[in-house]
Amino acid sequence: MPLVDLPLDQLQNYTSSTQEPADFDDFWEKTLAEARSHALDVTCLPVENMLPLIDSFDVSFAGYGGDRIRAWLHLPASRRPGETLPAIVQYIGYSGGRGLVQQDTTWAQAGYAQFIMDTRGQGYGGISGATPDPHPSAGEVGYPGVMTRGLSSREDYYYRRLYTDAFRAVEAVQSLAPIDEEAIVLAGISQGGALAIATAGLAATRLRGIRAVLTDVPFMQDLPRNIDLAQNGPYPEISRFLSRHRDRQAQAYEVLDYFDGVHFSRRATAPALYSVALRDDVCLPSTVFASYNAYGTSHVPSGGAATTKSIEVYPFNGHEGGQEHHWVRQLTYLAALLRG
């Protein structure tokens, strides 16, 4: 497959032209205040996983609207009594859920606490899930998938709930033993990468302890460009929906402005390691660079140092990205950052 976007030298300087809403911060402040009005009410129950080297727990906590969100917590069985561990908060790609308890324990195998948040209303493709989306708008007219779910208003849009769940997941992790609440890493691929970026932006002035963001081929960045140009994946759900609901484009784009990852990336302060694949026709490389180039720019002090960030480029890969090769890069990155 040929390159699907701009040449690399142009990508490196690409920025989004999407304008953030004037009340963006106010909208999210009210959203999180409402979520926090519900007790977090974390439960954590041991689960048999048939893996002698890993201890697993079935976790639930109150997400958006107080809805119960499921998660797995995996810990290395070799941990010492009283030892605290850095935690990887792992978010899942589009259509997936947390999976089976044995399905993914890679970060725990590397000696970290691994917290895998289930994705409300998903888990219907690829990896199974166990968390419903009870919001009334989940049954609204829309194109199959979740991209148009609740698109009639910013209050009802699906990703308002999911971004809030992702933020509350960090609070849930920080409440658990043996987690080092000052050593939290946000990680995810595609939709999971979008959740990591959104959470980093929301956490910047609201939570302590976010030490790093690992975001790979992230979804939900520079939304108008992806909607216009992405040929595969979830974005065509929106264009197909609008092809039948021709009078709703302006309204839909106004709603989506509140969920564009570029606006969240701008607010983030934690060090970040991005990855991008130059043959990605699901999340266009230019939109990943739009997010990367914006990352941390709201917090650069006059004459001070910018937020630490780097990006790995995979020239011959599509949306699968760097896969196992990039995980090795992430292990090296975190070892230097957290254990060096």
Side-chain angles (χ1 to χ4, degrees):
M1 182 174 69
L3 294 180
V4 297
D5 206 342
L6 303 171
L8 182 58
D9 61 340
Q10 295 180 36
L11 291 173
Q12 290 168 333
N13 297 303
Y14 177 82
T15 57
S16 173
S17 60
T18 304
Q19 298 296 308
E20 68 179 55
D23 62 346
F24 181 89
D25 288 317
D26 183 60
F27 171 74
W28 282 105
E29 183 63 32
K30 290 177 179 176
T31 295
L32 296 179
E34 191 282 329
R36 283 173 153 177
S37 72
H38 300 275
L40 194 55
D41 191 23
V42 180
T43 65
C44 185
L45 302 174
V47 177
E48 175 55 58
N49 63 17
M50 298 177 286
L51 302 174
L53 302 182
I54 303 294
D55 293 333
S56 296
F57 301 83
D58 189 354
V59 179
S60 72
F61 62 93
Y64 177 89
D67 300 335
R68 301 305 297 175
I69 308 300
R70 305 285 294 276
W72 296 126
L73 173 65
H74 300 303
L75 302 173
S78 61
R79 65 192 183 281
R80 300 183 301 274
E83 179 184 13
T84 60
L85 299 172
I88 312 297
V89 181
Q90 182 176 339
Y91 304 114
I92 304 300
Y94 192 80
S95 82
R98 67 175 182 169
L100 303 181
V101 68
Q102 307 90 348
Q103 196 159 357
D104 181 2
T105 62
T106 50
W107 285 112
Q109 293 173 47
Y112 298 95
Q114 180 177 0
F115 187 90
I116 306 175
M117 189 190 85
D118 204 11
T119 310
R120 66 163 65 219
Q122 296 190 38
Y124 53 83
I127 305 173
S128 62
T131 302
D133 180 14
H135 194 270
S137 71
E140 190 180 48
V141 171
Y143 193 84
V146 299
M147 290 299 291
T148 61
R149 187 177 294 177
L151 191 54
S152 58
S153 75
R154 63 182 188 174
E155 288 77 17
D156 290 337
Y157 190 47
Y158 172 81
Y159 280 95
R160 184 188 188 207
R161 304 191 288 282
L162 192 57
Y163 286 2
T164 302
D165 294 345
F167 177 88
R168 294 286 272 172
V170 176
E171 295 182 308
V173 169
Q174 290 177 317
S175 75
L176 296 170
I179 306 304
D180 180 351
E181 61 183 291
E182 296 294 328
I184 306 298
V185 176
L186 310 176
I189 301 170
S190 192
Q191 177 183 258
L195 295 178
I197 291 168
T199 304
L202 293 172
T205 57
R206 299 178 178 92
L207 290 176
R208 294 179 56 189
I210 308 299
R211 293 289 303 280
V213 177
L214 308 177
T215 179
D216 303 325
V217 292
F219 183 51
M220 298 293 286
Q221 314 300 302
D222 198 7
L223 286 167
R225 182 171 176 83
N226 267 315
I227 293 169
D228 284 349
L229 299 178
Q231 298 297 307
N232 291 299
Y235 291 113
E237 293 176 23
I238 295 177
S239 57
R240 289 166 188 157
F241 176 77
L242 294 176
S243 75
R244 302 309 306 160
H245 299 271
R246 300 174 180 88
D247 58 338
R248 294 182 59 175
Q249 178 179 347
Q251 178 193 44
Y253 276 58
E254 287 176 6
V255 169
L256 291 170
D257 277 344
Y258 289 89
F259 305 92
D260 197 313
V262 171
H263 307 326
F264 294 97
S265 70
R266 194 174 291 121
R267 290 162 168 77
T269 58
L273 174 61
Y274 275 67
S275 73
V276 62
L278 298 191
R279 299 173 190 243
D280 189 344
D281 62 354
V282 174
C283 296
L284 291 175
S286 56
T287 68
V288 177
F289 272 98
S291 177
Y292 175 74
N293 289 331
Y295 191 91
T297 56
S298 289
H299 300 276
V300 179
S302 178
T307 300
T308 302
K309 60 185 179 181
S310 58
I311 187 167
E312 290 289 321
V313 178
Y314 294 95
F316 295 98
N317 289 97
H319 194 56
E320 75 281 0
Q323 296 180 306
E324 68 276 10
H325 296 275
H326 191 64
W327 189 60
V328 174
R329 173 71 179 92
Q330 291 175 328
L331 286 171
T332 305
Y333 177 84
L334 289 186
L337 186 69
L338 300 177
R339 296 171 172 173

